[in-house]
Amino acid sequence: MKRLIMGLCVVLGLYACRQSDEYKTYLHNPELFSQTVHELNTVVMGNNFPPMVAARNYVYAAVAAYEVMAFAHPDEYQSLVGQVKGLTKVSFPSADPKADIELAALLAYMKVGESVTFPEGSLQTYKDSILQLARNKGLPGDVEKASQLLADSVSASIIRWSKGDNYLQTRGAEKYTVKDEPGRWVPTPPLYGSAAEPHWMEIRTMVLDSASIFAPPPPPDYNITDKNSKYYQEVMLIKNAVDSLTDEQKHIAEFWDDNPFKMNVTGHVMYGSKKFSPSGHWMSVIGIAAKQAKYSYAETVYAFAKTSIALFDSFIQCWYVKYKYNTVRPETVINKYFDPNWRPYLQTPAFPEYTCGHSTISSAAAE
């Protein structure tokens, strides 16, 4: 009988260990973090945030997760305190060895992601499903509690920091004034939307000294009457290129078509369709790249944080240039001077032409 009892104890002990390892295997999988980023991506898309606002959603959430990992691995990752503008302190609770760092990073990402994305509680169902599955796999209550405490402490610091970036102040800023001046941007068909975020250059940067630190050369002088002018030649280059696109070029264009809200027109019927913004597209790219590179959980979090910061700052710099020059879109010029029915292959977004937003932020992300 004694041997039987001892045998049962051994079996139960092994089962308990297996259960413990099972929840860790689930929560420590870096693909779970990438999946959570994708979930926030879906919420952002559903709420039709413009691309630069979407970048703000991602960056604060990613920094929160990164700060948890830096707290746990100070020899490998340095806190961003003092490295990014305005972040002077991140508070942590008393060290508790029960806290699961990967779970805490995930919870911090979701909590901050919700705080800068409406509606409130948009990730709650997803969060509940993760925790319930982890509990089913043996997540102890004290580990969950300690992890949540760590996540909440870090999240509170990041949320407080985020509120100082001038975002709320720009919500009530003066609207863009549409003027009928040669070469100046005006709304384009079919939506004729208002200028997107004309004050985004006033948002606090993360690492750039200012929005104007990198000054590209000005666009060519507006001159559509002289066929020898650089401006005329560039407009015709665009028109001819669109008119002769190959199937491969169309496929490439469609892959990078990240217009978060496209207005579709069929006869007298108009309806909108949504898709990931350029920021969201790059979040997906990072998830795929991290998986292919077999990144650890911490490395995956680092990749998302670094890329999110690059996207965030590059949007601010790009928008400074866009609204400095207020360059008219080629579609407007071609419709007025060459063909009133001409349309680009992809729908023109609602902001000035120069410099190219997608090229700017994609170059930053790819670095």
Side-chain angles (χ1 to χ4, degrees):
M1 177 62 70
K2 186 179 294 185
R3 289 183 178 179
L4 178 60
I5 294 174
M6 290 179 63
L8 287 173
C9 288
V10 170
V11 170
L12 289 173
L14 290 173
Y15 179 75
C17 290
R18 186 184 68 81
Q19 287 288 88
S20 176
D21 289 343
E22 191 175 356
Y23 89 80
K24 289 181 180 179
T25 300
Y26 170 62
L27 290 176
H28 297 187
N29 185 348
E31 289 185 42
L32 178 61
F33 189 84
S34 296
Q35 175 187 319
T36 302
V37 175
H38 181 80
E39 190 68 21
L40 177 60
N41 209 349
T42 302
V43 172
V44 168
M45 179 185 70
N47 285 283
N48 196 34
F49 288 110
M52 67 298 295
V53 178
R56 182 177 183 269
N57 296 138
Y58 301 126
V59 73
Y60 288 114
V63 168
Y66 174 80
E67 285 300 311
V68 173
M69 302 309 295
F71 168 73
H73 306 287
D75 294 336
E76 298 177 60
Y77 300 100
Q78 184 178 353
S79 170
L80 294 176
V81 171
Q83 296 197 78
V84 293
K85 287 190 175 182
L87 186 59
T88 58
K89 180 181 179 181
V90 174
S91 298
F92 299 97
S94 300
D96 189 340
K98 296 188 186 71
D100 185 286
I101 298 303
E102 287 78 6
L103 174 57
L106 198 68
L107 293 172
Y109 185 92
M110 289 187 283
K111 188 173 184 67
V112 175
E114 280 192 328
S115 78
V116 294
T117 307
F118 58 85
E120 185 177 354
S122 53
L123 290 173
Q124 188 62 49
T125 300
Y126 176 76
K127 172 187 172 182
D128 290 344
S129 67
I130 286 178
L131 288 175
Q132 188 56 57
L133 186 54
R135 293 172 192 138
N136 294 343
K137 293 178 179 294
L139 173 65
D142 56 348
V143 172
E144 180 181 338
K145 183 178 179 180
S147 304
Q148 186 69 68
L149 182 63
L150 174 56
D152 288 347
S153 182
V154 172
S155 297
S157 297
I158 301 304
I159 292 169
R160 184 166 52 250
W161 169 54
S162 74
K163 291 180 178 179
D165 70 357
N166 209 37
Y167 176 75
L168 290 178
Q169 290 82 346
T170 59
R171 299 309 88 194
E174 183 181 358
K175 300 294 184 181
Y176 177 89
T177 301
V178 176
K179 298 179 181 179
D180 187 16
E181 297 177 356
R184 183 179 171 88
W185 181 85
V186 294
T188 52
L191 184 60
Y192 294 97
S194 301
E197 298 295 336
H199 295 276
W200 198 253
M201 72 292 292
E202 298 169 22
I203 299 295
R204 179 187 62 198
T205 56
M206 292 273 173
V207 295
L208 293 181
D209 288 341
S210 70
S212 60
I213 187 172
F214 297 116
D221 292 336
Y222 180 79
N223 185 348
I224 199 61
T225 58
D226 181 0
K227 293 184 178 181
N228 294 318
S229 72
K230 185 176 182 181
Y231 185 84
Y232 181 96
Q233 292 172 358
E234 288 193 0
V235 169
M236 295 310 298
L237 182 67
I238 292 169
K239 182 180 184 302
N240 294 335
V242 172
D243 291 344
S244 58
L245 289 174
T246 65
D247 289 341
E248 181 182 14
Q249 289 171 327
K250 291 178 181 178
H251 179 72
I252 293 171
E254 289 164 1
F255 177 81
W256 288 109
D257 178 21
D258 298 326
N259 187 349
F261 186 82
K262 177 185 176 183
M263 180 59 70
N264 303 279
V265 181
T266 304
H268 296 290
V269 178
M270 300 179 69
Y271 62 95
S273 57
K274 301 177 181 180
K275 61 175 63 177
F276 290 153
S277 69
S279 308
H281 195 153
W282 273 105
M283 291 298 97
S284 296
V285 170
I286 295 304
I288 294 170
K291 180 180 179 180
Q292 291 182 342
K294 297 182 179 179
Y295 275 4
S296 67
Y297 197 102
E299 289 171 330
T300 299
V301 172
Y302 172 75
F304 276 111
K306 187 176 181 180
T307 306
S308 296
I309 291 172
L311 289 168
F312 183 76
D313 271 11
S314 59
F315 265 117
I316 296 172
Q317 186 276 335
C318 182
W319 252 241
Y320 166 78
V321 178
K322 280 185 177 294
Y323 286 99
K324 176 181 179 180
Y325 294 111
N326 294 302
T327 308
V328 66
R329 287 284 181 174
E331 180 175 10
T332 301
V333 177
I334 293 170
N335 287 167
K336 183 175 181 178
Y337 291 97
F338 301 102
D339 182 356
N341 298 314
W342 186 89
R343 294 291 181 267
Y345 186 67
L346 302 180
Q347 199 167 105
T348 302
F351 41 78
E353 169 73 10
Y354 185 83
T355 55
C356 175
H358 219 318
S359 296
T360 300
I361 67 103
S362 292
S363 295
E367 285 292 324

